[in-house]
Amino acid sequence: MRTSFKLISAMALFASALAMAGCDSHGDDGDEPEVITTVTLTFSPTTGGAPIVARFNDPDGEGGNAPVIDPINLTAGAYTLAVAFENRLEMQAEDITTEIKDEADEHQVFLLGTAVNGPATNQPAAPLLHAYADMDAKGLPIGLANTVTASAGTGSLTLVLRHLPPVNGMPAKVASLADTVRTGGLNAIGGGTDAEVNFTVTVTP
């Protein structure tokens, strides 16, 4: 069964995050989009030590209380970055990440913003250097697993989960999508945005 997703939230008071409606349902089964209330970024130092977790959380959904958005506070160094998505409106939180993995050929995470330099951005002075660390069955990046090298600085990180279903039987997720975003922005690629969240970033020496 094809699944689509929707991130729901109220607007944050200081515009530190924004939430976007998900794309239309996949396929012909008429399923309503899944709901994403929570996006979790876990930065694990490659040299060991406690992970740093930053989370967007809007557990009561759209129109309720404003979401809680953690800042990303790191020290300079190398990290692995895991990205996870949940629906916490269910009695037992639903792990949307597993469903994204199951349909990895139709999804890709992009890291954008002034704090990021990487496949989808061109910010040489940014404090975070990003690279993908996972791939789908065709060898294309997913973005649930990543590597990040942090240096002193500040900025914003915008995480975008893009849904890329086939169009007229042709795959929309193709090689070099991140390069296309880097030069032309998200409007230069197909598909729709399932989730988009802004985090503030501070990296200390």
Side-chain angles (χ1 to χ4, degrees):
M1 180 180 70
R2 294 298 182 185
T3 307
S4 59
F5 310 95
K6 181 181 181 182
L7 188 154
I8 60 175
S9 79
M11 291 299 293
L13 291 177
F14 298 103
S16 56
L18 58 90
M20 305 268 310
C23 51
D24 293 336
S25 296
H26 297 223
D28 299 322
D29 55 12
D31 286 344
E32 290 297 318
E34 296 279 357
V35 167
I36 298 171
T37 64
T38 307
V39 181
T40 303
L41 280 61
T42 302
F43 295 83
S44 299
T46 59
T47 55
I52 295 91
V53 177
R55 184 175 286 118
F56 170 98
N57 192 32
D58 190 22
D60 64 351
E62 188 173 15
N65 296 322
V68 176
I69 311 99
D70 300 327
I72 298 172
N73 294 320
L74 305 173
T75 56
Y79 298 83
T80 61
L81 168 60
V83 181
F85 301 88
E86 296 174 274
N87 174 12
R88 295 190 176 183
L89 288 178
E90 300 293 334
M91 185 68 67
Q92 181 174 352
E94 181 181 5
D95 182 6
I96 304 298
T97 314
T98 300
E99 299 182 37
I100 296 170
K101 290 178 181 177
D102 290 342
E103 297 181 2
D105 62 328
E106 294 188 5
H107 292 89
Q108 186 167 340
V109 174
F110 298 94
L111 298 187
L112 310 171
T114 61
V116 183
N117 188 38
T121 60
N122 185 18
Q123 304 278 353
L128 303 181
L129 178 62
H130 166 240
Y132 289 108
D134 57 2
M135 61 182 64
D136 63 20
K138 296 181 179 178
L140 303 179
I142 308 168
L144 298 175
N146 308 270
T147 61
V148 169
T149 302
S151 55
T154 60
S156 64
L157 182 155
T158 301
L159 182 145
V160 177
L161 172 62
R162 195 77 168 184
H163 167 217
L164 299 152
V167 177
N168 297 324
M170 299 298 293
K173 185 177 178 182
V174 294
S176 303
L177 280 186
D179 289 339
T180 303
V181 172
R182 180 175 181 146
T183 57
L186 288 167
N187 289 336
I189 64 172
T193 295
D194 284 342
E196 180 171 346
V197 181
N198 294 338
F199 295 88
T200 61
V201 175
T202 301
V203 181
T204 55

